[in-house]
Every structure is written in structure tokens, then in C-alpha cells.
Amino acid sequence: MRLLVTGGQGFTGQHFVKAARDCGHEVITLQADLKDHEAVRQQVFEAAPEAVVHLAAISFVGHADASAFYDVNVIGTLNLLEALAALAQPPRSVLIASSANVYGNCEQSPITEEQAPAPVNHYAMSKLAMEYMARTYLDRLPLFFARPFNYTGPWQAKSFVIPKLVTHFAQRAEAVELGNLDVEREFNDVRFVCEAYLRLLQKAAPGEVYNICSGKPVTLKSVIELLGQITGHQLQVNVNPAFVRNNEIHRLCGSSTKLVGTVGEIPSPALVDTLRWMLVES
């Protein structure tokens, strides 16, 4: 297919573009600023895509400018959807990348797609607002939503905790400052996420939500121990209260039942292999 990808220069985008091209797809990356309505419209018309993967977003929860989440994640998506809906031949599949952060702190675990959203930060709130806004286009576009749980890999920004840890171990630093060490997260491999996206483009149903997850959470403490075993280096970890978020989501683990039922089992590299790959590329 001829795929239009937004955020193609970002962490996920770089890996997804490579994976899509390796599968034989023609990939066009949107270069326009999503906030520029006319530029987005022009590039979408020129691309005339058969399918769209919308990855562009402000994704760091601790981003300083709260309004930017809404400017990019909501209004930017609105500009994209308006342009796609105006095409003479609309795409036959549109993936909107949301986030498992929309679930907030909930007692259910693993979390299914039926769990009521309860966002606790501006990033998650902007993603949920984006989902609701995008649903107004379902009569014109066959769009669906992917809610990935935490994942990592080479080229992810060092503001995220796993790349930060990998960098410190690779440089054999003496110490690192972190926030809450007891949080549990899935730290899936970016290649797993890209494969899920590619399969969903072919099989997802319009309007549906799909958790992109493995259902296998780990604590940060265990990640640190694993990196120590791989590198043979011991890193002193200091908890900095400034890095502890008031609205921290303590445990985030998803149910992959719906995803697997839709696209089948997806091979997922073990965390140790992901970390080794990141150390080599760091």
C-alpha cells in the first residue's frame, strides 16, 4: 500500500517507516507542521494515501507546556483528518495512535479496552480528547485507535526512563537520579509495536480501540538489575523527589486478548534482547 506516516522522524516513526518499507509498502512521511492547516491539506492531497498511520504527537508526559499537548495532539489531528476526509478517494485504513495512559490509575489489571478512561495528566487527557474528536469523522473515514502500553528501543529520547538508564550504564556512570522505582510498566520492544500497527492496518475494524501490549509488566528495579547483569556495571540509584509525579500511574498492564484475536500472536523480543540492542546502538 501507499502509506502516509505522520511523525516519521520521531522515535516510533523511524522504526515504523523501516518496518513498512521492509514489507514492501511505499511510505510517504508528512513533513508539514500539523498545526499548519493549509500545509497539511496540500501534502495530504499530493500523497493521496491508501492508508495512514498517525504517529505525530507530543508524547513526553512531563513536557513543560501543557497547552502544546492540545495544540498538537488534538488540533493537529483535526487538521489531518479534515484533509483526509476531503480527498476524492479516502484512505481505506487510518490508524490513530493514542496511548494506554488514557486509562489512568485503575484497579483492574490487566486492563481491557472496555475499561473506562480516567486520564490523570495533560498528555493522557489530550490523547483521549483526540480520540473523541476523531470519532466525529467515522462517517467519512475508516479510522481506528491504537493504545500502546509502554515500549522502548534505540533512538528513544533520553527524557524517557529506559533510554536514560541505558545511557548511564553504557557510559558506566557512577549514579543516576530517578523518580518512583516501584512503578510497574510493560516495556515492550518498538519492533513489536510496529508489527502490530502493520497488521492492524489490514484487519482493524473502523471505530475500534486496540491495546498494543504484552500483558507482562516489570518494575524499574528489575530493569536496573537486568542492565547491571548485561554490562557488569553497578549503578547507584538516587530517588529525586522532583522526578516523582503527583499523579503517577503505579501499574500499567494491558490485556492483549482483543489484539491477538484480531491479528494473531505477534512475536515480542525479550526485554533483555531489547536492552542489549539499545546498548549496542547507544
Side-chain angles (χ1 to χ4, degrees):
M1 292 188 292
R2 185 166 60 257
L3 305 181
L4 176 65
V5 178
T6 73
Q9 290 75 41
F11 161 55
T12 310
Q14 293 180 70
H15 289 283
F16 180 80
V17 167
K18 180 181 185 303
R21 286 177 173 156
D22 286 348
C23 288
H25 297 296
E26 176 189 352
V27 179
I28 303 163
T29 57
L30 187 77
Q31 303 297 318
D33 183 338
L34 281 174
K35 301 190 296 296
D36 187 334
H37 177 275
E38 186 54 38
V40 170
R41 178 182 174 278
Q42 181 178 343
Q43 288 195 17
V44 166
F45 277 34
E46 290 172 355
E50 295 172 280
V52 178
V53 177
H54 178 37
L55 304 175
I58 293 180
S59 57
F60 178 53
V61 172
H63 188 77
D65 183 3
S67 64
F69 285 116
Y70 302 94
D71 291 341
V72 175
N73 298 354
V74 182
I75 303 304
T77 302
L78 172 63
N79 290 337
L80 174 67
L81 296 180
E82 282 191 350
L84 292 172
L87 287 169
Q89 180 63 48
R92 62 176 185 254
S93 186
V94 179
L95 183 155
I96 306 291
S98 183
S99 169
N101 268 269
V102 302
Y103 295 119
N105 280 311
C106 63
E107 295 181 3
Q108 177 181 335
S109 183
I111 300 168
T112 70
E113 290 83 353
E114 285 70 42
Q115 174 68 34
V120 297
N121 54 55
H122 283 295
Y123 167 65
M125 185 66 77
S126 71
K127 283 293 194 177
L128 184 59
M130 175 196 70
E131 287 190 26
Y132 285 137
M133 177 278 296
R135 287 189 175 279
T136 66
Y137 285 83
L138 273 170
D139 60 335
R140 289 162 283 174
L141 294 169
L143 56 86
F144 64 94
F145 306 94
R147 290 178 179 167
F149 285 67
N150 290 59
Y151 61 95
T152 191
W155 319 325
Q156 189 175 30
K158 292 178 178 59
S159 52
F160 291 87
V161 66
I162 302 301
K164 179 178 181 178
L165 283 169
V166 166
T167 298
H168 277 71
F169 273 96
Q171 296 176 350
R172 308 189 80 77
E174 291 185 5
V176 64
E177 291 190 339
L178 298 175
N180 189 346
L181 300 181
D182 295 316
V183 295
E184 285 188 71
R185 296 284 187 272
E186 293 190 22
F187 291 114
N188 298 313
D189 192 294
V190 66
R191 293 168 291 190
F192 164 80
V193 175
C194 292
E195 178 63 21
Y197 286 175
L198 285 167
R199 294 192 190 187
L200 283 169
L201 282 175
Q202 304 283 356
K203 297 186 176 181
E208 290 296 315
V209 172
Y210 300 90
N211 287 341
I212 312 300
C213 58
S214 63
K216 301 173 183 176
V218 296
T219 64
L220 272 182
K221 285 182 180 178
S222 66
V223 175
I224 293 165
E225 291 172 1
L226 199 53
L227 282 165
Q229 292 169 14
I230 296 169
T231 63
H233 177 65
Q234 296 304 308
L235 183 69
Q236 180 180 331
V237 179
N238 302 318
V239 175
N240 185 338
F243 295 160
V244 178
R245 302 190 189 107
N246 292 330
N247 294 320
E248 184 73 81
I249 297 173
H250 298 291
R251 190 173 196 270
L252 205 53
C253 168
S255 167
S256 62
T257 300
K258 184 175 180 179
L259 177 67
V260 172
T262 303
V263 303
E265 291 282 354
I266 302 173
S268 181
L271 179 57
V272 65
D273 295 326
T274 306
L275 295 175
R276 286 195 178 110
W277 181 33
M278 294 174 72
L279 284 162
V280 168
E281 296 290 335
S282 65

